[in-house]
Amino acid sequence: CRTPRGTHPEGRSTAVSRLNGFDLSNSLVDRHAIEFGGQPRDGIPALDAPHFVEAQAAQHVLEDDPVLGIAAFGASKTYPIKILAWHEIVNDTIGGIPIVVSYCPLCASGVAFVAEANGAPLTFGVSGLLYNSNLLLYDRETESLWSQLSWRAISGPMAGTRLRPVPVTHTRWEDWRREHPGSAVLSDETGFHRPYDVDPYEGYEQSQALLFSVSPISDRYRNKERVLGISINGQAKAYPLTELRAAGVELLLDRFAGRDILIHFDPFAGSARAYAANGVELPTTLAYWFAWFSFYPGTAVYEAPG
């Protein structure tokens, strides 16, 4: 996702059927809205054999560094954003369960799924394609394309298939380590030479500009206002962090999609999570407003009272 829009050797005339080597003939989205992101498939290399270190040995992560934290299947792992920004996909396991962790720097969205479909394991790579400025993963077994923010395959043999989401927390390393002191941390010894302390998207979050096509778009909030997005039974709701700050509460009880939802907001970490009434964490996505709205234009939006 790092290179602004370019001209792919296959050309736009072939975009109706193929792009970057992927068959789009059965695409569930507008094929002309799928864009070449400037990289060939796997030009951004996924991490297939990730190495982890213990929390106390994670000298490559600073207290304020943003991370994706996962606590599931009896284990806890931490994925520093500064590494994910250069690789976007990690094929991993947690508690013995295969998972795929993905991060789209253009949308600031991190999600994870159990990497199995129809009882068979899947491994994923970076397709080099985008839809609504959002990462399209592909699975190496069928070469189907998967939309990160719509949580489903959009083309290929797997089109329409959904994977089981795994809750992800987008927060600071200091806060995640305090909550999960035994968490394993993705090492910067990845086998690739990348300047992980350099942000390849420096200045992007502060700008209103977008690098790729997005539709629809809303000016209700700044394009890159962060929102906690949740989708239940086909209904979507966004909790903008600016509204949660204005509400002045760290715990918010809300009613959505016929369910009681507890939103936990950490104003210092700029992080939020959602829980069901029974205390089980719900899969959510912390992302830029423009990204959430483009995938869920009918989304409800929480507004602070008064």
Side-chain angles (χ1 to χ4, degrees):
C1 294
R2 275 189 294 280
T3 305
R5 187 185 315 174
T7 301
H8 190 269
E10 294 174 345
R12 294 305 297 175
S13 62
T14 63
V16 171
S17 59
R18 296 190 68 83
L19 189 59
N20 224 18
F22 293 97
D23 182 5
L24 306 181
S25 60
N26 70 333
S27 176
L28 301 180
V29 303
D30 180 2
R31 285 168 280 184
H32 295 91
I34 297 175
E35 295 188 86
F36 174 57
Q39 294 277 355
R41 77 164 72 184
D42 300 317
I44 297 173
L47 297 181
D48 293 328
H51 175 61
F52 289 81
V53 297
E54 295 181 353
Q56 59 267 32
Q59 301 301 313
H60 62 296
V61 189
L62 303 179
E63 290 185 348
D64 285 337
D65 280 353
V67 301
L68 297 184
I70 298 178
F73 309 118
S76 172
K77 285 190 170 182
T78 309
Y79 303 83
I81 295 296
K82 64 184 181 183
I83 298 177
L84 294 178
W86 289 93
H87 295 284
E88 301 188 3
I89 293 174
V90 181
N91 292 293
D92 198 11
T93 62
I94 186 166
I97 304 297
I99 64 170
V100 56
V101 180
S102 69
Y103 177 73
C104 179
L106 294 172
C107 298
S109 52
V111 301
F113 301 96
V114 174
E116 292 180 340
N118 303 321
L122 297 173
T123 57
F124 292 85
V126 181
S127 71
L129 301 177
L130 303 166
Y131 173 63
N132 269 339
S133 197
N134 183 238
L135 166 68
L136 288 177
L137 305 79
Y138 80 94
D139 73 79
R140 295 165 179 157
E141 289 71 23
T142 73
E143 297 202 339
S144 299
L145 291 173
W146 299 75
S147 169
Q148 189 210 39
L149 280 178
S150 65
W151 296 10
R152 63 172 181 165
I154 62 166
S155 73
M158 290 283 186
T161 302
R162 295 181 180 272
L163 300 180
R164 177 184 172 188
V166 178
V168 171
T169 300
H170 193 156
T171 186
R172 299 186 311 165
W173 167 230
E174 179 183 20
D175 299 284
W176 183 255
R177 181 181 58 189
R178 185 183 303 114
E179 186 176 344
H180 300 278
S183 186
V185 183
L186 179 65
S187 170
D188 58 356
E189 296 180 2
T190 63
F192 297 93
H193 296 289
R194 298 292 188 274
Y196 293 121
D197 287 325
V198 175
D199 180 2
Y201 295 85
E202 185 175 2
Y204 175 72
E205 182 172 359
Q206 290 71 37
S207 168
Q208 182 74 353
L210 304 178
L211 298 180
F212 295 90
S213 301
V214 174
S215 180
I217 199 161
S218 165
D219 61 2
R220 183 169 178 174
Y221 297 97
R222 193 177 72 88
N223 278 343
K224 292 159 192 173
E225 169 67 29
R226 291 180 187 262
V227 304
L228 182 74
I230 183 169
S231 176
I232 298 176
N233 298 329
Q235 299 182 56
K237 189 165 185 177
Y239 296 84
L241 299 195
T242 188
E243 299 286 1
L244 294 175
R245 286 192 180 92
V249 296
E250 295 185 13
L251 292 177
L252 171 71
L253 182 61
D254 195 23
R255 184 76 178 171
F256 170 62
R259 302 174 62 175
D260 289 327
I261 304 292
L262 182 66
I263 304 296
H264 180 269
F265 173 56
D266 184 338
F268 302 102
S271 178
R273 285 180 266 186
Y275 297 86
N278 61 2
V280 173
E281 186 172 0
L282 300 173
T284 58
T285 304
L286 193 68
Y288 291 143
W289 163 248
F290 84 83
W292 183 258
F293 184 84
S294 69
F295 281 90
Y296 303 95
T299 186
V301 179
Y302 170 76
E303 293 184 347

